[in-house]
Amino acid sequence: AQTVTQSQPEMSVQEAETVTLSCTYDTSENNYYLFWYKQPPSRQMILVIRQEAYKQQNATENRFSVNFQKAAKSFSLKISDSQLGDTAMYFCAFVLSGSARQLTFGSGTQLTVLP
Amino acid sequence: SAVISQKPSRDICQRGTSLTIQCQVDSQVTMMFWYRQQPGQSLTLIATANQGSEATYESGFVIDKFPISRPNLTFSTLTVSNMSPEDSSIYLCSVDGGGGRGSYEQYFGPGTRLTVT
């Protein structure tokens, strides 16, 4: 079974600064996808960024980028120029390639952006 | 990405009763998923609902407690039966984002906040 671990329950960052959220996962498979989701107080789950395991290049979406280390099974999220609207719970998620398509989520990191 | 709505957005129910949550998608999707998010916790998959077949339940969840319907490719319901206070959670539906395009992300509805008294 796959597991996803987020070791930082809470983090804070000053507005306009950069913050990195950590995620590690465990799998014996080779083909999979990784995601970061954001859940603000409105509780809507929003996809932030995705990474295909077969791609060596790290994914980037505007101020959000990942550091994907496949051998280390590490998938961290970097948020640059943090904004107040980035305050949310962030979940790392994993899914195997194949027909089941079931996401496994980490426990989440509560990020607070301070003015 | 798909646009997903859920009804109701929140409800307060008495123990022993049942609540049916609806999930509507603006496009046809093959796979729909139901998750539970207990207070302050992460998401746990309840079941996968494919149109035209029985839902597949994860360990710890049973059909008698969480019956699911999937009558067509844009709609699904989850019923929480014989509720107890331990069922107080946010229930979210999601849809598979890719299908034939090969993408594996899921898109989520806004959730239903259930409180059982």
Side-chain angles (χ1 to χ4, degrees):
Chain A
Q2 284 63 234
T3 59
V4 178
T5 302
Q6 293 179 250
S7 59
Q8 306 153 314
E10 297 180 356
M11 293 191 72
S12 62
V13 62
Q14 291 294 139
E15 196 174 6
E17 297 294 310
T18 296
V19 64
T20 298
L21 310 183
S22 300
C23 173
T24 59
Y25 58 95
D26 187 25
T27 183
S28 58
E29 303 293 330
N30 195 48
N31 297 316
Y32 51 87
Y33 295 76
L34 294 159
F35 308 96
W36 280 97
Y37 282 88
K38 165 185 175 181
Q39 188 179 41
S42 67
R43 76 175 180 260
Q44 175 75 57
M45 290 286 286
I46 301 166
L47 177 65
V48 175
I49 198 165
R50 59 176 275 179
Q51 175 77 44
E52 297 89 338
Y54 63 84
K55 289 187 177 179
Q56 292 186 340
Q57 185 174 6
N58 289 325
T60 300
E61 288 287 343
N62 300 313
R63 297 182 295 108
F64 299 88
S65 61
V66 299
N67 183 5
F68 173 50
Q69 302 291 327
K70 190 172 184 179
K73 297 179 182 176
S74 172
F75 182 61
S76 61
L77 174 70
K78 186 172 80 171
I79 306 174
S80 304
D81 185 25
S82 297
Q83 301 176 359
L84 296 178
D86 295 333
T87 293
M89 182 72 84
Y90 287 80
F91 293 99
C92 178
F94 170 101
V95 64
L96 285 173
S97 299
S99 61
R101 298 175 179 262
Q102 295 168 339
L103 284 174
T104 299
F105 285 89
S107 56
T109 297
Q110 175 63 48
L111 176 67
T112 301
V113 180
L114 303 170
Chain B
S1 63
V3 176
I4 306 163
S5 61
Q6 283 186 237
K7 291 181 181 180
S9 60
R10 60 178 61 222
D11 207 341
I12 301 173
C13 302
Q14 291 189 340
R15 70 175 66 206
T17 62
S18 298
L19 176 72
T20 295
I21 302 168
Q22 299 179 5
C23 180
Q24 180 75 52
V25 190
D26 69 341
S27 58
Q28 294 185 340
V29 294
T30 303
M31 304 182 77
M32 296 180 75
F33 306 87
W34 286 98
Y35 291 85
R36 182 176 73 183
Q37 186 177 25
Q38 295 178 303
Q41 303 295 314
S42 186
L43 282 72
T44 301
L45 181 64
I46 297 172
T48 302
N50 291 336
Q51 193 269 338
S53 63
E54 294 289 326
T56 302
Y57 289 83
E58 297 301 301
S59 175
F61 297 97
V62 295
I63 188 171
D64 290 346
K65 176 67 175 177
F66 297 101
I68 288 171
S69 76
R70 182 79 200 274
N72 56 53
L73 291 173
T74 63
F75 187 78
S76 178
T77 66
L78 169 75
T79 299
V80 186
S81 304
N82 188 26
M83 288 183 284
S84 67
E86 291 71 33
D87 294 320
S88 296
S89 294
I90 296 171
Y91 292 85
L92 300 106
C93 71
S94 72
V95 303
D96 177 66
R101 294 197 300 277
S103 59
Y104 282 75
E105 66 267 23
Q106 292 178 17
Y107 298 100
F108 287 81
T112 296
R113 183 182 295 275
L114 170 62
T115 302
V116 184
T117 60

